[in-house]
Amino acid sequence: MEKSEVRVGRFTLQPYRQLRLDGFPVPIGRKALDILSTLAAAKGALVTKSELMDVVWPGLTVEENAIQVHVVALRKALGDDAERLITVRGLGYRLGLGGTDDVPATGLQARNSVAILSFVNMTGNPQLEYLGEGMAEELINTLSRTAGLKVPSRTSSFAFKGRTIDARQISSELGVATLLEGSVRIAGDRVRVTAQLIDAADGIHIWSQNFDHEFSDLLALQCDITSAIVQSLERYLQPEQEPGSTKMMLTT
């Protein structure tokens, strides 16, 4: 197979040129081919609708349903492999590649990709909803500055807030191998934050810990607990190191 070719299940994609099956060209439109090629270039990561529009319709203003029309055509052409073209509701699309081009969630990505979900408000007070969101956002901002660590944006991760979705589906849609979720409780003048790291491949908890703090200065509370969580996570989110390479450091 040529180096520029990409395997998509049973298909061979020559980006922006041609989609082939068993050596024969598959008739899909130019825009559909451009969408598929753009998704393949992302190597399993989420591509937003606006990013697709910028690539497929550069300099033009088009409606979002224009993408959907071509995605439907792509799924029809892919047949049994249509499930590889994943819709991330309200955000964009991902492409699950096949063959040797895949990076399994439990393989190379297992120790350097994590999605931080909005922490659940378990205080019984709806007005304190911001506490859980603030904790998750602080963690996203902190961990996203760490070299070698893949962290989806707040917009992508918070899209799952309030929805009962299996960890494996969230992992598939966001292209990560681990999920960090948590909850916030208040007892008297103290707040307890529980954080849990989950292996998205099987839903098993890798790590869990409680963090207690006085409920006074909220900014200090967020910073202190974020720092404690990051330090506790460090040994779980280290990517596999090559001999002689520099250890990744999680910074606060």
Side-chain angles (χ1 to χ4, degrees):
M1 182 172 66
E2 294 182 10
K3 190 173 182 179
S4 60
E5 293 181 347
V6 178
R7 293 291 299 179
V8 183
R10 299 166 299 141
F11 295 82
T12 300
L13 174 66
Q14 296 173 322
Y16 305 101
R17 292 176 55 197
Q18 193 176 66
L19 180 67
R20 300 177 70 87
L21 177 62
D22 297 330
F24 295 96
V26 177
I28 59 174
R30 169 54 58 182
K31 296 302 184 185
L33 179 63
D34 289 349
I35 289 173
L36 186 63
S37 300
T38 303
L39 294 175
K43 298 181 179 179
L46 169 71
V47 179
T48 66
K49 295 177 182 178
S50 61
E51 290 170 340
L52 279 175
M53 289 180 183
D54 289 343
V55 174
V56 181
W57 292 274
L60 299 178
T61 300
V62 296
E63 295 182 0
E64 288 187 3
N65 62 4
I67 298 177
Q68 186 176 1
V69 169
H70 294 293
V71 167
V72 169
L74 273 174
R75 288 198 170 110
K76 184 176 180 180
L78 291 172
D80 292 341
D81 285 304
E83 63 182 13
R84 296 179 179 275
L85 208 167
I86 302 164
T87 299
V88 182
R89 185 174 300 179
L91 299 175
Y93 300 89
R94 289 184 54 246
L95 183 65
L97 303 177
T100 57
D101 295 292
D102 266 340
V103 181
T106 56
L108 298 180
Q109 291 184 0
R111 286 188 175 269
N112 68 340
S113 58
V114 57
I116 292 88
L117 307 181
S118 179
F119 283 29
V120 178
N121 175 20
M122 301 186 72
T123 66
N125 184 351
Q127 295 184 349
L128 296 178
E129 190 72 25
Y130 66 91
L131 280 177
E133 293 186 354
M135 285 302 312
E137 187 166 7
E138 190 72 21
L139 282 164
I140 290 172
N141 291 337
T142 299
L143 294 175
S144 64
R145 297 195 299 269
T146 303
L149 186 63
K150 174 184 175 183
V151 183
S153 69
R154 177 188 186 278
T155 301
S156 298
S157 296
F158 280 26
F160 300 95
K161 182 179 177 181
R163 299 162 60 189
T164 304
I165 301 178
D166 184 78
R168 288 168 293 186
Q169 181 179 341
I170 298 176
S171 166
S172 176
E173 293 192 8
L174 295 181
V176 298
T178 52
L179 305 176
L180 180 66
E181 64 179 18
S183 62
V184 180
R185 294 179 174 84
I186 290 180
D189 60 352
R190 297 189 68 80
V191 60
R192 166 167 286 191
V193 174
T194 299
Q196 302 168 332
L197 186 67
I198 299 170
D199 184 340
D202 52 20
I204 300 299
H205 286 74
I206 301 173
W207 163 88
S208 180
Q209 191 167 331
N210 294 326
F211 301 88
D212 296 309
H213 201 285
E214 291 185 2
F215 188 67
S216 52
D217 187 333
L218 293 182
L219 289 179
L221 181 152
Q222 288 184 351
C223 290
D224 290 348
I225 294 184
T226 296
S227 177
I229 292 175
V230 168
Q231 290 177 16
S232 296
L233 285 176
E234 183 172 358
R235 70 188 183 94
Y236 294 98
L237 293 178
Q238 293 294 331
E240 297 298 331
Q241 299 292 319
E242 295 294 335
S245 62
T246 302
K247 182 180 180 182
M248 180 185 76
M249 297 299 294
L250 301 182
T251 58
T252 56

